Amino acid sequence: MKQIVVLLALALTSCSYFEKQVPNEQDLLQKELKAINWNQVDEYPSIAECDQLTDSKLRKQCFFEFLSSTIQQKLNTDTLSVLYPELDTIEVKVTVNSNATLVFEPQFPQDSTAYDKEKLDSIIRLRLIDLPKVSPAIKRGIPVKTQFILPVIIRSE
């Protein structure tokens, strides 16, 4: 008789083990979205020469060094140092879109009136064309837009 009572008790309580709540789809989505760090990417933008590096930090460093030196070389061939001899470094906001296009925007100090910003902007945009193909950043397997500011040395003495 004890065995029947024990089996009956087990049978009644074991049914609750099979009744698992199906999680709400929206709750799961919200939980996953909160877990994602939207300020970080899984892979930084890259160029073909840097893609062969396996370490992500070295690949990132390779890309930023390449981009800085390429921008510096393209701007050194221009008259920026003649037009603005006091200008030795400029910050350029670089946007790598998810479709692998690049956008360059020079960043000027708020109180700066010493420069013709439109002229500087047009020179920089004109010079920074025909760059090698850049692969966009990757976040969870999807190409994403990234932005960063690079200090570019205009004149080195």
Side-chain angles (χ1 to χ4, degrees):
M1 184 74 175
K2 278 186 173 181
Q3 293 173 345
I4 293 176
V5 172
V6 171
L7 286 175
L8 186 59
L10 282 175
L12 290 175
T13 58
S14 68
C15 290
S16 65
Y17 291 117
F18 296 113
E19 294 178 17
K20 292 191 177 187
Q21 290 287 335
V22 176
N24 183 339
E25 184 178 326
Q26 288 300 318
D27 291 342
L28 283 176
L29 176 63
Q30 292 305 317
K31 184 179 178 181
E32 188 66 22
L33 288 175
K34 287 178 185 175
I36 297 173
N37 183 352
W38 293 104
N39 296 322
Q40 291 276 333
V41 293
D42 299 334
E43 293 180 32
Y44 281 87
S46 187
I47 57 168
E49 290 82 18
C50 299
D51 283 343
Q52 44 196 308
L53 298 172
T54 55
D55 183 32
S56 63
K57 289 181 181 179
L58 290 176
R59 192 175 349 180
K60 174 185 172 184
Q61 181 182 353
C62 173
F63 173 72
F64 283 114
E65 286 175 359
F66 166 80
L67 200 55
S68 291
S69 66
T70 302
I71 292 172
Q72 185 175 341
Q73 287 172 354
K74 287 186 173 277
L75 292 180
N76 279 342
T77 62
D78 209 74
T79 59
L80 285 179
S81 59
V82 174
L83 289 172
Y84 303 102
E86 70 282 356
L87 187 64
D88 62 349
T89 303
I90 189 166
E91 291 185 338
V92 178
K93 181 178 177 181
V94 180
T95 303
V96 181
N97 291 309
S98 59
N99 63 358
T101 57
L102 293 170
V103 178
F104 299 99
E105 300 172 55
Q107 302 294 296
F108 301 104
Q110 293 292 339
D111 60 346
S112 172
T113 56
Y115 313 117
D116 183 354
K117 293 178 184 179
E118 289 180 18
K119 189 173 190 177
L120 260 172
D121 186 46
S122 66
I123 291 171
I124 290 171
R125 288 177 192 258
L126 182 65
R127 283 291 175 200
L128 299 179
I129 56 173
D130 298 332
L131 289 172
K133 182 173 171 53
V134 173
S135 304
I138 304 292
K139 179 73 173 180
R140 295 199 164 215
I142 300 171
V144 293
K145 172 181 163 181
T146 50
Q147 291 182 324
F148 44 89
I149 296 179
L150 285 176
V152 178
I153 299 170
I154 301 293
R155 175 177 56 120
S156 57
E157 294 179 10

